[in-house]
């Protein structure tokens, strides 16, 4: 029996009524009405200062959203997650990425078994391996030390490692070269390896399931690439390690399970960058800094679990996402880091947010037809985006709330650069919120026919996330902020953020099409729709012709 829609809760209706009643208030009016607004709506924890004052919130909005969260059982759901309940009900699994960063000595039980010692056992093995590689003690098959590390994985087994490597490059061992191969497009592998010496290259095959088509194709290609040069099967043991939950498939691929780093079915792919999937991150920054990253995650975990919702960064962020997407009708949210090191952060967040909450069925199986769930997340670093898509955010017809992320100190202080960067960051949020009225434009002496074009409507909401410095610890807290915000929003929308059935159909159909592309015969009549059959035929004919 499916449970009633969230819309039947009177707390939901109260938020909906409030949105209707306050929807016409502008940020100009809200700021004018309350001079200390920035203080009321600013929050701080784990090194992150978060200013929500430029969101379209009145004094009454957050209390109503918090009441909704309570009515939806957010507090109980948080406890259920942290105590290892199988809250990923459609896969029958616990959801315990928080255990990946639990300090040694803490206890987290799954089916009566404490999982924290196993987590640290793997972390210790990873650290020992990373020390050997980083010190030059781990030798390749020909006796040369490893100089290049290539992570092969896709989705959560790629986006987290790439994002973390890019974000923490400042802390990385520059003597090692890191590459990431994800796409089954051969170009990805070819370009990643074209200038590498196989004798100095280590492949990390990262796959939770070790059955992912793209990753296995790339791993087989990597193996052939290595053996073409080193001409000895025994070389595989020195140049391949695996990160997976599936020891059987790892062994079947030919990687010694002694050089496999494991994790567990209670870690979702998009929540796995701090598990052994972070091996490339640890190789880059070293075990000590990796533990700092984990400490940052853990600090935010504790904050999320303990802080009252009124001051709880992830809970508030998740609730404001719901407010914008479901009650104010925003179909997308832009994530705009003003830090080049966070260039891949929006891409990482796309999987985290949209693979988690991009769903239209409730936990009890009801199709949601009475409210919108997850918006599209996207973005690019500032200031680059300003010269590309910000036009639409400022003057387009859609409401696009923005998350700005900036730092007080640059990791590469160069003249005036950082002040220019942050001046732009603050200016964009100000311009979006307050715009420029037609009267102000006219006062600048703009000819009347250009006034509408040069007017900025403003009232475009944003959140500013500010921190002192991008460190491994800070990055951990920032990611955990978003992880738990995603969970919060999922609870309000009554969906399971931890499965991903929506990726399956395309995989099945692709498997069916592969032999058809390679066969000499036309696909069987009725096997595909007219369009797909035509495309397959055209591809085959052009290839063979
Ligand atoms: O296809 C989606 C997905 O299952 C993601 O959820 C996951 O992160 C990715 O594929 C890679 O999966 P694996 O780590 O098992 O190769």
């Amino acid at each position: 029996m499916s449970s009633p829609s969230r819309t039947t809760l009177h707390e939901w209706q109260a938020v909906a009524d409030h949105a209707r009643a306050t929807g016409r208030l502008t940020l100009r009016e809200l700021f004018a009405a309350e001079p200390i607004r920035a203080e009321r709506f600013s929050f701080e924890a784990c090194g992150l200062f978060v200013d929500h004052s430029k969101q379209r919130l009145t004094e009454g909005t957050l209390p109503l959203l918090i009441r909704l969260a309570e009515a939806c059982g957010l507090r109980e759901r948080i406890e259920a997650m942290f105590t290892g309940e199988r809250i990923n009900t459609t896969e029958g699994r616990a959801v315990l990425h928080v255990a990946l960063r639990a300090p040694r000595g803490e206890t987290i039980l799954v089916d009566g078994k404490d999982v924290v010692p196993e987590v640290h056992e793997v972390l210790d093995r990873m650290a020992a391996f990373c020390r050997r590689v980083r010190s030059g003690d781990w030798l390749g098959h020909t006796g040369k030390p490893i100089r290049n590390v290539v992570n092969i994985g896709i989705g959560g087994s790629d986006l987290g490692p790439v994002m973390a490597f890019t974000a923490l490059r400042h802390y990385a061992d520059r003597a090692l070269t890191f590459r990431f191969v994800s796409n089954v497009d051969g170009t990805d592998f070819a370009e990643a390896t074209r200038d590498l010496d196989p004798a100095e290259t280590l492949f990390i095959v990262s796959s939770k399931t070790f059955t992912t088509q793209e990753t296995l194709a790339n791993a087989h290609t990597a193996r052939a690439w290595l053996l073409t040069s080193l001409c000895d099967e025994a070389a595989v043991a020195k140049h391949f390690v695996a990160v997976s939950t599936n020891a059987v498939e790892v062994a079947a691929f030919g990687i010694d399970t002694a050089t496999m780093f494991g994790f567990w079915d209670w870690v979702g792919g998009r929540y796995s960058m701090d598990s052994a999937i972070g091996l490339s991150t640890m190789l880059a920054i070293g075990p000590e800094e990796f533990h700092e990253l984990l400490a940052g995650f853990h600090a935010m975990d504790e904050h999320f679990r303990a802080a009252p919702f009124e001051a709880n960064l992830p809970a508030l962020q998740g609730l404001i996402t719901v407010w914008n997407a479901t009650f104010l009708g925003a179909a997308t949210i832009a994530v705009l880091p003003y830090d080049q090191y966070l260039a891949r952060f929006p891409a990482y967040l796309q999987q985290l947010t949209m693979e988690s909450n991009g769903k239209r069925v409730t936990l009890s199986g009801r199709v949601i037809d009475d409210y919108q769930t997850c918006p599209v997340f996207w973005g690019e670093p500032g200031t680059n985006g300003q010269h590309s898509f910000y036009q639409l955010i400022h003057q387009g017809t859609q409401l696009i709330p923005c998350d700005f992320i900036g730092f007080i100190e640059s990791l590469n202080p160069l003249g005036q650069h950082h002040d220019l960067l942050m001046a732009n960051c603050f200016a964009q949020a100000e311009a979006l919120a307050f715009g420029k009225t037609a009267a102000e434009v006219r006062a600048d002496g703009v000819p009347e026919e250009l006034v509408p074009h040069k007017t900025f409507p403003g009232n475009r909401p944003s959140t500013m996330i500010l921190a002192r410095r991008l460190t491994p610890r800070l990055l951990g807290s920032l990611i955990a902020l978003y992880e738990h915000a995603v969970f919060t929003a999922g609870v309000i929308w009554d969906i399971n953020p931890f499965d991903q059935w929506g990726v399956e159909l395309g995989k099945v159909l692709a498997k069916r099409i592969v032999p058809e592309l390679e066969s000499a015969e036309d696909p069987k009549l009725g096997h595909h729709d007219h369009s797909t059959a035509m495309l397959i035929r055209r591809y085959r004919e052009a290839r063979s012709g």
Side-chain angles (χ1 to χ4, degrees):
M1 250 269 287
S2 60
S3 48
S5 169
R6 289 292 198 227
T7 59
T8 61
L9 292 172
H10 71 85
E11 289 85 354
W12 181 286
Q13 286 309 326
V15 177
D17 290 346
H18 175 73
R20 275 188 290 274
T22 62
R24 287 189 187 284
L25 288 173
T26 65
L27 284 166
R28 276 189 184 233
E29 289 163 339
L30 292 169
F31 271 84
E34 188 178 26
I36 58 147
R37 183 176 167 83
E39 266 165 52
R40 175 193 294 281
F41 290 111
S42 291
F43 306 87
E44 200 162 5
C46 311
L48 294 166
F49 177 80
V50 182
D51 174 8
H52 289 303
S53 64
K54 295 192 188 79
Q55 291 289 348
R56 280 155 59 168
L57 308 167
T58 70
E59 195 184 333
T61 315
L62 291 180
L64 287 171
L65 286 167
I66 289 167
R67 250 169 260 153
L68 174 60
E70 281 158 358
C72 294
L74 178 60
R75 184 59 70 199
E76 296 76 15
R77 305 279 296 151
I78 294 172
E79 272 318 289
M81 176 169 76
F82 276 80
T83 52
E85 265 184 49
R86 292 180 187 273
I87 62 169
N88 177 359
T89 47
T90 58
E91 295 182 322
R93 291 175 181 164
V95 176
L96 271 178
H97 40 280
V98 295
L100 298 171
R101 49 266 193 157
R104 228 180 272 275
E106 237 177 53
T107 303
I108 299 181
L109 301 176
V110 177
D111 298 333
K113 184 176 176 223
D114 183 7
V115 296
V116 179
E118 293 177 61
V119 166
H120 282 274
E121 188 195 309
V122 175
L123 284 169
D124 290 346
R125 284 185 54 231
M126 287 166 65
F129 175 71
C130 289
R131 287 199 179 98
R132 287 193 64 189
V133 173
R134 285 164 61 89
S135 67
D137 179 42
W138 179 280
L139 300 178
H141 185 62
T142 64
K144 287 184 172 181
I146 297 299
R147 293 264 167 265
N148 316 307
V149 177
V150 182
N151 186 76
I152 296 178
I154 197 164
S157 301
D158 167 70
L159 289 162
V162 180
M163 180 275 288
F165 172 69
T166 315
L168 300 177
R169 212 171 182 155
H170 180 77
Y171 303 86
D173 180 348
R174 304 290 179 148
L176 290 172
T177 295
F178 287 84
R179 302 276 162 82
F180 298 86
V181 176
S182 54
N183 201 333
V184 77
D185 182 345
T187 298
D188 206 10
F189 182 85
E191 288 294 341
T193 52
R194 60 182 303 125
D195 57 344
L196 303 186
D197 175 359
E200 297 181 336
T201 300
L202 174 76
F203 289 99
I204 306 174
V205 186
S206 297
S207 175
K208 178 176 170 181
T209 56
F210 229 79
T211 57
T212 303
Q213 186 190 54
E214 295 93 326
T215 300
L216 289 186
N218 278 318
H220 281 289
T221 299
R223 190 192 162 102
W225 177 84
L226 183 88
L227 293 180
T228 302
S229 168
L230 301 187
C231 306
D232 184 354
E233 278 285 333
V236 172
K238 293 285 177 195
H239 293 269
F240 275 81
V241 297
V243 177
S244 187
T245 58
N246 191 343
V248 174
E249 289 297 330
V250 169
F253 177 84
I255 298 178
D256 188 349
T257 47
T259 50
M260 166 180 155
F261 300 90
F263 60 114
W264 306 270
D265 75 352
W266 40 261
V267 182
R270 54 196 173 274
Y271 297 87
S272 68
M273 59 158 289
D274 48 339
S275 71
I277 291 289
L279 186 65
S280 59
T281 314
M282 194 191 270
L283 278 166
I285 64 174
E288 288 71 26
E289 294 290 12
F290 193 83
H291 277 278
E292 279 290 295
L293 177 75
L294 297 181
F297 272 102
H298 181 65
M300 188 59 78
D301 295 343
E302 293 210 299
H303 168 76
F304 181 52
R305 191 176 186 182
F309 293 151
E310 289 75 12
N312 189 311
L313 261 50
L316 292 171
Q317 179 133 334
L319 290 172
I320 290 171
T321 298
V322 174
W323 171 247
N324 282 325
T326 306
F327 293 98
L328 299 186
T332 84
I333 291 181
V335 180
L336 309 167
Y338 276 65
D339 190 303
Q340 194 59 30
Y341 284 125
L342 290 182
R344 298 295 290 163
F345 194 62
Y348 170 78
L349 278 190
Q350 288 191 316
Q351 188 197 15
L352 182 66
T353 55
M354 297 196 279
E355 199 170 65
S356 294
N357 282 338
K359 291 164 193 167
R360 56 176 241 307
V361 174
T362 65
L363 276 164
S364 61
R366 191 185 74 87
V367 173
I368 300 170
D369 54 7
D370 45 357
Y371 55 89
Q372 294 292 331
T373 64
C374 188
V376 172
F377 280 77
W378 58 286
E380 281 289 324
T383 58
N384 291 8
Q386 292 174 202
H387 300 273
S388 142
F389 53 79
Y390 278 38
Q391 164 66 40
L392 183 150
I393 309 182
H394 283 288
Q395 287 188 319
T397 51
Q398 301 187 40
L399 174 70
I400 304 186
C402 301
D403 284 358
F404 290 93
I405 304 170
F407 296 91
I408 290 165
E409 287 172 18
S410 170
L411 295 175
N412 296 292
L414 280 179
Q416 202 192 0
H417 283 253
H418 198 64
D419 291 342
L420 294 177
L421 176 73
M422 291 309 293
N424 274 280
C425 179
F426 297 149
Q428 290 298 326
E430 189 174 33
L432 286 168
F434 304 109
K436 190 167 182 178
T437 64
E440 287 165 341
V441 174
R442 277 190 198 99
D444 285 349
V446 170
E448 197 52 35
E449 68 275 17
L450 283 184
V451 168
H453 298 281
K454 293 197 154 197
T455 298
F456 288 72
N459 205 25
R460 309 207 162 202
S462 69
T463 285
M464 181 69 63
I465 301 176
L466 198 59
R468 174 162 286 281
R469 196 178 156 83
L470 178 56
T471 60
R473 179 181 284 256
L474 193 283
L475 182 70
S477 294
L478 181 66
I479 297 165
L481 167 69
Y482 277 94
E483 284 180 346
H484 298 318
V486 164
F487 178 59
T488 299
V491 170
I492 308 301
W493 289 321
D494 195 17
I495 56 186
N496 177 5
F498 303 112
D499 62 13
Q500 56 284 316
W501 299 107
V503 302
E504 295 302 328
L505 180 58
K507 290 184 190 175
V508 172
L509 297 188
K511 273 204 183 117
R512 195 168 79 176
I513 292 176
V514 172
E516 294 174 342
L517 293 182
E518 292 170 347
S519 145
E521 286 170 26
D522 272 356
K524 281 196 205 84
L525 269 182
H527 215 153
H528 294 288
D529 62 276
H530 190 222
S531 160
T532 310
M534 177 197 70
L535 294 168
I536 293 171
R537 192 172 310 119
R538 195 177 170 85
Y539 177 88
R540 260 202 5 250
E541 285 170 3
R543 277 233 312 187
S544 58

